[in-house]
Amino acid sequence: MGGDPAATRTQVARHGVLGLAGAVCTGAGGFALTFAVGRLLDDRATGEFFSAVAAFTIATTVLLLGADTGLVRSLSGLRATGGQRLLGVTLRAALVPVLVGSVVVATAVWAAAGPLARLLVDDPADAARTASALRLLAPFLVLSTLSTALLNGASRGLGAMRTYTLYQQVLLPVSRPLLLVVAVLGFGAGLHGALLVWAAPLLVAVAVAGRDVRGRVRAAVRRGDEKAADAAAAGEPLPDLPADGVARRFWRLTAPRGVAATFEVVVTWADVLLVAALRGPVEAGVYAAASRFVTSGTLAMQAIRLSIAPAVAAAFSRGDRAEAQRVHRFSTVGAIASTWPVYLGMAVFAPAVLSLIGPRFVAGADALTILSIAMLGVVATGNANTVLNMAGKSHWAAVNTGVAAAVMLAVDVALVPGLGMVGAAIGWGAALLTDAALGTLELRRGLGVRSWDRRVAEVAALAVVAFGGPALAVRAALGTSLLDTVAGVAVASTVYGGALWVRRRALGLDGFVAALRRRPGPSAGTGTGTGTGTVQSGTAPSDEPDDRMDSTTRPAPHHPAPHRKEGSAL
């Protein structure tokens, strides 16, 4: 049965706002950490800190094997089709290989830290510091991988956006800069102390996430059994979901995602390591700080991606591609409307933005401008890879990201030795645009899902004219000091906000706001669209009452519905 567009918009809007609130905390925490590291550590230690975080993040993503995305897709699909009895089996199939692999690699890194450090660093003193950092972070690889699988995968797949938001998007990013400030100012910690307090919150995240996911699985299975009993009593057919081969089916779809995730994290972080190797840790620290601003600019994209993934997965599970396209377009309008002004502002006022961290970071202004312009093109395509992954086409996304990683590495090797961080920015921008373009093309030709319509084009033009135009005018008239930037952003935001308000109905933004105001109806729950306690849209519901979809709302007028990677290690 097809989905109810209004109900799906309600779920996406509510989860999107919840995700955006969490992403704001993630971005604020990431900025606070960048600010604290830049202000409290010296130039060399700053570069070494970000290089260590880059290596740690790459290792975590590789060890995760794509299990987080696989869990979102699999658990959402099982809940949408009445397969709650297979939730526990699927979780074990996903987590056991990830946990075993993490333990093996962490042990190997700890034992071989000295030789590894000497391979990475020529100077004996720097090699000794690098070896100590590797031994320090090695045990936390297991915790990082497990917490990401549980929070970013299992919690979201079970509909627990609030759990994911609270711990992955609030606890980790907010606690890290606070602990770092206390460690450095209160106890005189250096590089190793900063890395230790950065990793320590993972202990809490794993403990809480494990308990929460276990409880949610038990509750979901119990409700599924009750619904199955009711359906059997009423003579309704029960879903035929074989328990044999769960692990094989899970990893057949997920393994390509693991490859894609590896390529993605290479695109996201490898340029920092290349700049450190080819130009030194000082320039790497400046570039890492500049590129973290670009990551923070993806707040809305992250929130929207997290909110649409279960709805898109459920739509494809039902074979409802029209609903998947509506959700994708709806989310693309929201992504452009909320994110383009951020990148336009960073591109126009890059020197002032980086001066917030410290005067020495202004040298990264050109790199920040290049990356911000590239991100406009990325955001314009929406969350194409998320739709591919939720459609079971993770192997397509893997190829796309592999091509993008190859493009970045080729450009970086050619340009970084001569241009430094500007060359790295060109390489990363080229990689991001390549990945986005390939994903959009595959959505259209392979799945019949079009990313753009009139609304998407209009909101993009509105952002450029109503925000970018006034911002450029203020820069030309006043300059790029911090006060000039505040004035420019204020003027541009006022004009842009007024333009959005005037065009809110044509863009469908009034429907988004209306969806947020609706209360869940009494029939919100799990099901297929009929009977008591069902969701008419059939999308994977939340296990939390306040997160459930509204099955009683009417479609809004004008119905045509509507990345650095999220979860940055900062």
Side-chain angles (χ1 to χ4, degrees):
M1 179 177 292
D4 177 2
T8 303
R9 280 198 298 269
T10 299
Q11 181 199 37
V12 171
R14 285 183 177 155
H15 281 189
V17 169
L18 180 63
L20 180 59
V24 167
C25 290
T26 299
F31 172 77
L33 183 65
T34 302
F35 180 86
V37 170
R39 292 284 185 175
L40 298 178
L41 301 181
D42 60 39
D43 293 358
R44 194 172 193 83
T46 297
E48 291 173 343
F49 178 90
F50 285 121
S51 296
V53 169
F56 185 89
T57 305
I58 291 173
T60 297
T61 303
V62 172
L63 292 170
L64 193 59
L65 305 174
D68 54 341
T69 301
L71 283 170
V72 173
R73 181 185 61 243
S74 298
L75 300 185
S76 297
L78 289 172
R79 293 168 61 239
T81 55
Q84 286 87 345
R85 295 292 299 179
L86 299 182
L87 292 177
V89 177
T90 303
L91 266 174
R92 288 190 293 274
L95 295 181
V96 170
V98 168
L99 185 59
V100 171
S102 300
V103 170
V104 170
V105 172
T107 303
V109 169
W110 189 90
L116 285 173
R118 288 190 290 274
L119 286 174
L120 297 172
V121 182
D122 292 331
D123 183 82
D126 290 342
R129 284 158 55 94
T130 301
S132 297
L134 289 174
R135 291 192 185 95
L136 177 68
L137 291 178
F140 291 98
L141 276 176
V142 180
L143 297 176
S144 179
T145 305
L146 188 56
S147 69
T148 304
L150 290 172
L151 291 171
N152 195 38
S155 290
R156 290 170 53 211
L158 293 169
M161 274 295 294
R162 284 186 291 190
T163 300
Y164 169 82
T165 299
L166 180 60
Y167 295 103
Q168 187 78 3
Q169 295 186 300
V170 177
L171 171 69
L172 291 177
V174 172
S175 63
R176 282 168 166 166
L178 294 176
L179 291 172
L180 188 141
V181 170
V182 171
V184 175
L185 295 183
F187 299 94
L191 172 64
H192 295 128
L195 289 172
L196 179 61
V197 297
W198 177 83
L202 291 168
L203 290 164
V204 178
V206 169
V208 174
R211 179 178 180 182
D212 182 78
V213 168
R214 183 168 59 251
R216 289 183 183 279
V217 168
R218 290 174 178 173
V221 171
R222 183 173 61 253
R223 287 193 297 271
D225 289 345
E226 292 171 354
K227 291 182 181 297
D230 293 341
E236 298 177 2
L238 298 178
D240 183 17
L241 298 173
D244 296 336
V246 168
R248 184 175 62 254
R249 292 194 300 272
F250 178 88
W251 286 110
R252 185 176 67 247
L253 293 174
T254 301
R257 174 56 194 161
V259 176
T262 299
F263 289 140
E264 286 174 4
V265 78
V266 167
V267 170
T268 301
W269 283 101
D271 52 354
V272 175
L273 296 176
L274 283 171
V275 172
L278 298 175
R279 303 280 292 200
V282 175
E283 187 167 346
V286 174
Y287 177 68
S291 60
R292 290 320 96 189
F293 274 102
V294 175
T295 304
S296 298
T298 62
L299 296 178
M301 283 290 285
Q302 293 173 27
I304 292 169
R305 179 181 64 79
L306 295 174
S307 67
I308 71 169
V312 172
F316 280 117
S317 294
R318 298 189 308 271
D320 191 349
R321 298 195 177 192
E323 177 73 352
Q325 177 173 277
R326 283 194 293 268
V327 173
H328 178 49
R329 287 183 175 178
F330 180 58
S331 68
T332 302
V333 170
I336 294 175
S338 56
T339 303
W340 271 36
V342 176
Y343 287 119
L344 288 168
M346 287 196 291
V348 173
F349 299 110
V353 171
L354 289 173
S355 70
L356 293 171
I357 308 174
R360 72 178 190 268
F361 292 96
V362 176
D366 290 342
L368 178 57
T369 297
I370 292 169
L371 291 173
S372 297
I373 293 173
M375 284 304 300
L376 296 177
V378 174
V379 173
T381 65
N383 285 289
N385 274 347
T386 297
V387 179
L388 288 176
N389 288 326
M390 295 302 105
K393 302 299 182 182
S394 54
H395 55 292
W396 293 1
V399 173
N400 297 345
T401 317
V403 172
V407 168
M408 189 197 76
L409 292 175
V411 174
D412 280 0
V413 170
L415 298 184
V416 168
L419 299 179
M421 67 182 83
V422 171
I426 294 173
W428 188 25
L432 292 172
L433 291 172
T434 298
D435 188 38
L438 290 174
T440 302
L441 183 65
E442 287 165 350
L443 283 183
R444 179 173 179 175
R445 294 191 175 181
L447 295 179
V449 173
R450 295 174 179 264
S451 301
W452 275 57
D453 61 3
R454 177 190 58 79
R455 292 181 179 181
V456 177
E458 180 176 346
V459 75
L462 203 64
V464 171
V465 173
F467 189 95
L472 282 172
V474 170
R475 171 172 174 160
L478 300 179
T480 59
S481 71
L482 193 56
L483 289 178
D484 297 336
T485 299
V486 171
V489 171
V491 171
S493 298
T494 301
V495 176
Y496 180 63
L500 281 182
W501 177 258
V502 171
R503 298 296 297 167
R504 67 189 186 280
R505 292 185 183 278
L507 295 174
L509 299 177
D510 57 336
F512 183 90
V513 175
L516 295 178
R517 293 175 177 171
R518 295 185 183 114
R519 297 291 183 186
S523 61
T526 60
T528 59
T530 60
T532 304
T534 64
V535 173
Q536 292 181 2
S537 70
T539 56
S542 168
D543 289 333
E544 302 179 65
D546 291 341
D547 287 339
R548 291 176 182 168
M549 295 182 297
D550 183 357
S551 63
T552 63
T553 53
R554 294 179 297 173
H558 303 282
H559 170 68
H563 114 9
R564 240 109 182 197
K565 187 181 176 184
E566 127 289 324
S568 165
L570 296 183

